[in-house]
């Protein structure tokens, strides 16, 4: 029976010593063992017969992409990866040897190789041990490809969310955790606090990669707190120092997401006291109209309010939309009007 021959060949020098003159019989034996293994429905007993060679250097590997016939090109199964494994993400991080492609052509199956201990992917322990040292500043795509196909546990995902290993666009100084970076979006270029993930724009990002990165924590939209802090800081500058174009673009970005079911609609109530709205106000003593920044709770959009010295949304803006989205009132409440009138009298 074939099992008797197997019990003999696993102790033969061609499978245990890796001698060059025995290359032919070694390859023929590997092919025969693999084909018999594939034909079995129950493989456990046969794997027990193969146990003596699991730690022996009998599998030929590719050296620099080509098969080698030297003894140094024979390795133990646990030291090798499948010929089909994509390890491009780990180039320069060590020597990773693959099973010779010629074995596949001769009929040796991946199922057999995996059962013998050959690896399909880099171990996650190795990956996490090198995440912050691998060089992906130019193109992290090979890494994301690898992670997409890896068998990740819940703990693996938690580590991937918190570890700094992704490059930022135009920043070679450090690596970042996914939650520190954003998917490329031209609308977000106005915000100096936004760092984009480095990605080859000419290739585009496949939807599977996008969804996976978002799952890891990569941001699509900035948090409202960051936007409001930026706008208030910009608004506090003098008119000469303020970047009016950037501030206007940020205001449009914000108001477009404050509409019904907008991204920031429910949380904006906490920021109505922030002074970020461009307004005009008439000085009641001199009659001069001045420009200033006000909060939505301290300005109005009816131009007639100017005669009472109230701040009014800049008429050059889309007053109605901005007022509706930021909950800016049209006119002051009656009590405030009476109080102002008493001050004027």
């Amino acid at each position: 029976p074939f099992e008797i021959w197997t019990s003999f060949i696993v102790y033969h020098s061609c499978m245990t010593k890796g001698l060059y003159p025995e290359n032919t019989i070694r390859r023929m034996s590997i092919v025969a063992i693999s084909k018999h293994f594939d034909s079995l429905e129950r493989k456990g007993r046969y794997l027990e017969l193969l146990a003596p060679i699991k730690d022996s250097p009998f599998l030929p590997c590719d050296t620099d992409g080509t098969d080698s016939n030297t003894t140094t090109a024979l390795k133990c199964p646990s030291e090798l990866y499948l010929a089909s494994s994509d390890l491009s993400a780990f180039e320069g991080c060590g020597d990773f040897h693959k099973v010779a492609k010629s074995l596949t052509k001769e009929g040796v199956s991946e199922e057999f190789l995996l059962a013998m201990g050959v690896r399909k992917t880099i171990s996650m322990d190795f990956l996490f041990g090198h995440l912050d040292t691998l060089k992906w500043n130019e193109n992290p795509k090979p890494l994301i490809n690898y992670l997409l196909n890896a068998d990740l546990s819940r703990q693996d995902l938690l580590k991937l969310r918190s570890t700094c290993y992704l490059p930022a666009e135009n920043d070679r100084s450090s690596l970042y955790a996914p939650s520190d970076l954003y998917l490329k979006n031209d609308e977000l270029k106005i915000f100096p606090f936004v760092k984009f993930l480095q990605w080859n724009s000419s290739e585009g990002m496949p939807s599977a990669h996008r969804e996976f990165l978002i799952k890891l924590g990569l941001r699509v939209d900035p948090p409202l707190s960051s936007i409001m802090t930026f706008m208030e800081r910009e608004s506090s500058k003098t008119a000469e120092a303020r970047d009016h174009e950037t501030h206007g673009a940020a205001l449009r970005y914000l108001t477009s997401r404050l509409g019904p079911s907008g991204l920031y609609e429910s949380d904006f109530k906490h920021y109505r006291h922030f002074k970020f709205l461009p307004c005009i106000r008439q000085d009641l003593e001199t009659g001069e109209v001045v420009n200033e920044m006000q909060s939505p709770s301290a300005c109005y959009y009816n131009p007639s309010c100017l005669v009472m010295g109230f701040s009014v949304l800049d008429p050059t803006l889309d007053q109605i939309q901005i007022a509706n989205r930021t909950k800016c009132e049209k006119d002051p409440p009656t009590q405030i009007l009476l109080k102002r009138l008493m001050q004027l009298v």
Side-chain angles (χ1 to χ4, degrees):
F2 201 87
E3 283 72 13
I4 295 177
W5 174 82
T6 301
S7 298
F8 160 76
I9 202 66
V10 295
Y11 290 103
H12 192 279
S13 59
C14 71
M15 301 296 282
T16 60
K17 296 184 179 180
L19 301 177
Y20 174 73
E22 297 178 325
N23 271 359
T24 300
I25 187 174
R26 178 169 43 251
R27 280 181 172 267
M28 292 175 65
S29 298
I30 294 171
V31 172
I33 292 172
S34 173
K35 289 184 176 180
H36 182 69
F37 173 85
D38 294 339
S39 70
L40 298 174
E41 290 186 6
R42 297 182 179 181
K43 308 177 188 295
R45 173 71 181 124
Y46 192 63
L47 281 175
E48 291 178 6
L49 294 177
L50 298 176
I53 59 172
K54 279 196 171 184
D55 295 321
S56 298
F58 72 94
L59 284 176
C61 65
D62 284 351
T63 304
D64 297 328
T66 58
D67 288 358
S68 174
N69 289 321
T70 66
T71 54
T72 57
L74 295 175
K75 293 189 175 296
C76 301
S78 61
E79 297 175 323
L80 295 174
Y81 295 87
L82 295 177
S84 61
S85 296
D86 181 6
L87 305 178
S88 57
F90 303 95
E91 289 179 359
C93 194
D95 295 325
F96 303 105
H97 300 286
K98 296 183 180 182
V99 175
K101 293 179 181 178
S102 57
L103 284 184
T104 302
K105 296 177 181 178
E106 292 171 21
V108 177
S109 71
E110 289 191 348
E111 183 184 5
F112 165 71
L113 293 172
L114 291 172
M116 293 302 295
V118 174
R119 301 176 185 177
K120 183 177 182 180
T121 59
I122 299 290
S123 72
M124 293 310 297
D125 288 339
F126 177 90
L127 174 65
F128 287 122
H130 293 77
L131 276 177
D132 58 348
T133 58
L134 289 166
K135 303 298 183 182
W136 288 309
N137 288 53
E138 292 299 327
N139 184 16
K141 186 176 179 180
L143 170 65
I144 305 305
N145 280 336
Y146 171 80
L147 292 175
L148 268 172
N149 296 310
D151 185 16
L152 301 174
S153 68
R154 183 179 179 185
Q155 287 300 115
D156 293 336
L157 289 171
L158 288 175
K159 285 185 180 181
L160 287 171
R161 290 189 182 106
S162 59
T163 306
C164 297
Y165 58 94
L166 291 176
E169 191 176 76
N170 302 320
D171 183 357
R172 294 175 177 269
S173 63
S174 59
L175 297 172
Y176 298 87
S179 59
D180 296 327
L181 300 175
Y182 292 78
L183 286 171
K184 190 64 175 291
N185 181 349
D186 289 342
E187 277 191 294
L188 300 183
K189 288 182 178 180
I190 57 176
F191 299 117
F193 57 84
V194 167
K195 289 183 178 293
F196 294 113
L197 170 70
Q198 170 64 37
W199 196 270
N200 190 337
S201 57
S202 63
E203 294 180 0
M205 182 179 289
S207 59
H209 292 65
R210 176 187 172 89
E211 292 171 7
F212 178 71
L213 285 166
I214 292 174
K215 181 180 179 181
L216 293 181
L218 200 73
R219 296 180 182 271
V220 178
D221 295 286
L224 181 58
S225 58
S226 298
I227 294 176
M228 297 308 301
T229 299
F230 164 73
M231 294 190 70
E232 187 177 47
R233 185 182 300 118
E234 194 67 25
S235 299
S236 67
K237 297 178 181 178
T238 63
E240 293 75 19
R242 187 182 308 130
D243 186 336
H244 294 276
E245 184 177 347
T246 297
H247 183 276
L251 181 58
R252 289 190 295 273
Y253 179 88
L254 173 64
T255 53
S256 69
R257 287 157 177 76
L258 287 177
S261 301
L263 179 64
Y264 305 129
E265 183 187 26
S266 61
D267 294 329
F268 182 71
K269 59 180 178 289
H270 303 299
Y271 300 95
R272 292 193 69 244
H273 63 286
F274 277 47
K275 294 183 177 181
F276 67 94
L277 291 178
C279 295
I280 58 174
R281 177 177 56 82
Q282 185 176 20
D283 188 315
L284 297 181
E285 292 185 3
T286 64
E288 180 185 3
V289 175
V290 297
N291 293 288
E292 63 181 12
M293 291 292 183
Q294 276 296 353
S295 66
S297 59
C299 67
Y300 310 94
Y301 68 93
N302 184 351
S304 300
C305 296
L306 282 174
V307 299
M308 296 288 287
F310 291 109
S311 295
V312 175
L313 276 176
D314 189 332
T316 62
L317 301 174
D318 186 346
Q319 288 181 313
I320 303 300
Q321 184 188 44
I322 293 176
N324 287 337
R325 298 290 174 86
T326 61
K327 309 301 182 188
C328 175
E329 300 291 341
K330 180 180 180 181
D331 297 294
T334 303
Q335 187 176 358
I336 294 180
L337 276 172
L338 290 173
K339 185 177 180 180
R340 177 58 59 87
L341 184 60
M342 293 297 292
Q343 292 172 342
L344 293 176
V345 174

